[in-house]
Structures are given as structure tokens and as C-alpha cells.
Amino acid sequence: MISKLLARNKTNLLYGACLGALVFLLNWLELRFVIFEHSFEIYAGAIAIIFTSLGIWLAIKLTKPKVETVVVEKYLYTDPAIPFVLNEKALEDLGMSKRELEVLQLMAEGLSNQEIARQLFVSLNTIKTHSSKIFEKMDVQRRTQAVEKAKRIGLIP
Amino acid sequence: MISKLLARNKTNLLYGACLGALVFLLNWLELRFVIFEHSFEIYAGAIAIIFTSLGIWLAIKLTKPKVETVVVEKYLYTDPAIPFVLNEKALEDLGMSKRELEVLQLMAEGLSNQEIARQLFVSLNTIKTHSSKIFEKMDVQRRTQAVEKAKRIGLIP
DNA sequence: GATAAAATCACCCGAAAGTATGAGGGGGAA
DNA sequence: TTCCCCCTCATACTTTCGGGTGATTTTATC
């Protein structure tokens, strides 16, 4: 808080100093004008330059900085190195349950729903429900898409 | 009634107007005098104001907006660093045609027969025939199996 | 030009896949 | 305890897939 106040006073002091310097400069220039009668244009030009600068400075100091939001899509490449490491982050992001992942793995092996059901000792309808949930969570329509995506993001070897 | 009243006061109104005009004239003359006396200061002030405004305008127009980036994570294909080499021997052993391989690749991307048909500008029935031949040649029953096997033996990245 | 393979398309039918909805038990978190 | 999610199963329905069969056209090859 104190530092803020100091910073504000600092700016004020700086501004005052600049103003003072400016007045001195103007007086000096006026004196020159009196002495050299034909230097009015130079004086006007100096004023123009100085006050243009002042305007720029003021604008920079007093306006809120423009903020432009840029959305950058960061593509996450998964390393297909031989030792497969399950992408747990993706798994959690998608909200996949253990059972669903299990079904997904068997799907990737090319098993039919009926075969998966038999292998997991559950009914065909259960596998259908699981696969529906999988497709929903993975945002795909077909098992082939699910498998392709699963391999891509490291849910499956 | 209003017109009568106006007529009666006509003289008075005229007189008032003249008086007002006179006062205005005097003021204007006085202002002119003031301006004449301090014409240089006013001119300089005008330049100062105008160029301060110019400076502000320039600063606002020319400052680059601060860029704020929002990172959106997106999963994409696995690392393409590993170069895919098509297993031409397996391709020939299976007796796969170019078109069939093409269909197989689109299958692996998770497209439905209908979508593949649209993409290749042929009818759905044609794709069905192709896929049947593919399954026959690859000795599989389902597209998921075909894709799995194709990846395994190097027909597909 | 004949032949063979590939590519195209069509129709039918049953199987599999996928959608929608509901329901019930279990377990963990608020 | 209540709430929410997971797992399970079911019914009903639509869509897609795959098998079987047959046909025409194109392309390549001898």
C-alpha cells in the first residue's frame, strides 16, 4: 500500500518536473522569439511536437492497456514408445471408469459386443450400455472411432 | 389575445433586443480585444490542445494490444516421428487391391461405410462389396478386426 | 481381341451395433 | 442419510454391417 502511494507520488513528481521543465523551455523559446522575430513557426512546431509527445505519454499512462484474447490450441502428442504408459490424465479428463476402459480394450482387439459380454461374464445389454457411455464420453459415434481415438490419446497400447 | 399583447409590447421588445445586441457587440469587441492582446498565447494554447489530442489519438491507435493467450488442450495423433513403411509383402500376400487398401484406411479412421462411400464418390453398395472382399482376404469377420490386423501387419500407420 | 482381375452397383436378409429410457443395487462423498 | 456415480440388466426401436448372389463396366495383360 505504501509502495503504491509512493509510486503514485513518484509519477506526480515526475509529471510536475516535466511541466516545470516545459514552462522553462517555453519561456526560453519565447525569449528567443522576441529576439529573433521570424522564428514563430519554429516555436509553433516545437509546441506541436512537445504536446504531441505529451499526448502520447498521457494516453499510454492513463489508458487501460488493450487486451486481446487469443485462443491457442495446444496439441498434445502422446509418445508411442514401445513401453506403453496409460495416459491417466486423458483418462480422468474423459471421466472413463475402469470397466469402461476394460470394454474399450476388448473393443480394440476386434471383439464383438457379444464376445466382450461373454469374456466379462455380463449380459450383452450391459456391454451395449457401456459402449454407449464410452462413445458419449469420448465424443464419437462408432466403436471404430472410439478405438482409433483411444490409441491416439494413449488409453490403449 | 396573445397577438394583442404582443403588439402592445412590440416597442418594448424591440428596445430590449437592441439593448441585448449592443451588449453582445460590446462583449464581442472586448473579447476581440482580449484575443488581440493575447493572440499569441491563445494560438499557442490551441496548438498545444490540438497536438495533445493528436498525441493521445496516435497513442491509442498505434499501441499494440497486449495479447492474452488462452491455451486449450487438444489431443491429436500420436507422434508422427515414427515413419510408416507400408508392408508391401503382406499387401501382396493378401492380394489386396489399391481400392481395397484405400477403403481399409478410411475404415481405420473410424468412418462408416456411408461416409467412405461419400468420400470416394461411389455408392454404399460398392463399399459394402469392397469391405466384404477385404474381410475375406484378411480372414476376419468385422471391420474392427480388420483394422486391428491391418495395423499389426503394417498395412496401415 | 480374348481373358482375367478390378471396380462399380443392386437387392435381400439376418446379425450386430447403436439409441433411448428406465430401473435397481452398491459404494463413496458431502 | 442423501446424493451421485458406477455397474448391472432390460425392453424397444433404428441404423449399420456383413453375407450371399448376380450383374455391368473398366482396366490391364497376354
Side-chain angles (χ1 to χ4, degrees):
Chain A
M1 206 205 228
I2 291 172
S3 59
K4 251 191 188 174
L5 216 123
L6 271 172
R8 190 175 296 174
N9 282 338
K10 209 173 180 181
T11 312
N12 286 342
L13 281 171
L14 189 66
Y15 183 72
C18 284
L19 218 60
L22 213 63
V23 168
F24 178 77
L25 192 65
L26 287 175
N27 278 338
W28 184 73
L29 283 171
E30 191 177 9
L31 187 65
R32 278 190 68 88
F33 175 65
V34 170
I35 294 169
F36 304 100
E37 289 179 9
H38 300 295
S39 57
F40 176 78
E41 283 80 6
I42 293 172
Y43 186 34
I47 290 175
I49 291 168
I50 289 165
F51 277 89
T52 299
S53 305
L54 177 66
I56 290 172
W57 182 79
L58 275 175
I60 290 172
K61 278 284 168 188
L62 301 180
T63 56
K64 289 175 184 175
K66 280 189 240 175
V67 174
E68 191 174 273
T69 303
V70 175
V71 175
V72 176
E73 289 182 345
K74 182 187 177 188
Y75 293 103
L76 302 178
Y77 291 93
T78 48
D79 189 9
I82 305 100
F84 167 72
V85 279
L86 196 145
N87 187 345
E88 299 201 38
K89 186 182 179 301
L91 201 69
E92 207 161 327
D93 283 353
L94 295 175
M96 297 280 285
S97 71
K98 268 175 288 179
R99 199 58 158 172
E100 284 161 358
L101 184 61
E102 211 169 349
V103 172
L104 185 57
Q105 286 166 341
L106 294 177
M107 246 180 211
E109 292 177 17
L111 300 192
S112 69
N113 284 340
Q114 186 61 71
E115 289 168 340
I116 296 171
R118 269 198 285 270
Q119 189 143 339
L120 298 181
F121 301 105
V122 295
S123 92
L124 171 61
N125 289 311
T126 303
I127 299 303
K128 283 190 174 189
T129 306
H130 281 316
S131 54
S132 282
K133 290 233 159 203
I134 290 169
F135 302 153
E136 199 180 315
K137 288 178 179 177
M138 295 187 73
D139 192 30
V140 295
Q141 284 76 48
R142 283 175 286 284
R143 66 214 281 98
T144 45
Q145 288 181 348
V147 169
E148 190 269 341
K149 191 167 185 176
K151 294 204 173 202
R152 211 177 349 124
I153 66 181
L155 261 43
I156 277 177
Chain B
M1 206 200 221
I2 292 171
S3 60
K4 257 187 184 175
L5 212 129
L6 272 174
R8 194 178 294 170
N9 289 337
K10 204 174 181 181
T11 315
N12 287 346
L13 280 171
L14 191 65
Y15 177 72
C18 284
L19 210 64
L22 201 65
V23 168
F24 179 77
L25 189 66
L26 288 174
N27 279 340
W28 185 72
L29 283 171
E30 190 177 3
L31 187 65
R32 271 189 66 94
F33 182 70
V34 169
I35 289 173
F36 182 74
E37 279 281 296
H38 304 89
S39 65
F40 177 75
E41 282 79 3
I42 289 169
Y43 183 43
I47 290 176
I49 290 168
I50 289 168
F51 279 88
T52 301
S53 305
L54 176 66
I56 291 172
W57 180 80
L58 275 175
I60 290 172
K61 278 285 167 186
L62 300 181
T63 50
K64 285 176 186 172
K66 184 187 172 192
V67 176
E68 193 173 272
T69 51
V70 176
V71 175
V72 176
E73 290 189 347
K74 226 175 179 182
Y75 294 106
L76 200 64
Y77 291 90
T78 49
D79 193 355
I82 292 178
F84 167 71
V85 279
L86 195 145
N87 186 346
E88 299 200 39
K89 185 183 179 302
L91 201 69
E92 208 160 329
D93 283 353
L94 295 175
M96 298 280 286
S97 72
K98 270 176 287 180
R99 199 58 157 173
E100 284 162 358
L101 183 61
E102 209 170 350
V103 172
L104 185 56
Q105 285 166 341
L106 294 177
M107 246 181 212
E109 290 176 19
L111 300 192
S112 70
N113 285 340
Q114 185 63 71
E115 290 168 338
I116 296 171
R118 270 197 285 271
Q119 189 142 338
L120 297 182
F121 301 105
V122 294
S123 91
L124 171 60
N125 289 312
T126 304
I127 299 303
K128 284 188 171 191
T129 306
H130 282 316
S131 55
S132 283
K133 291 229 161 206
I134 291 169
F135 302 151
E136 197 182 317
K137 289 178 180 177
M138 295 187 73
D139 190 30
V140 296
Q141 284 75 48
R142 283 174 288 282
R143 65 218 276 90
T144 44
Q145 288 180 347
V147 170
E148 191 271 337
K149 188 165 185 176
K151 293 204 173 205
R152 195 147 40 82
I153 65 182
L155 261 43
I156 276 177

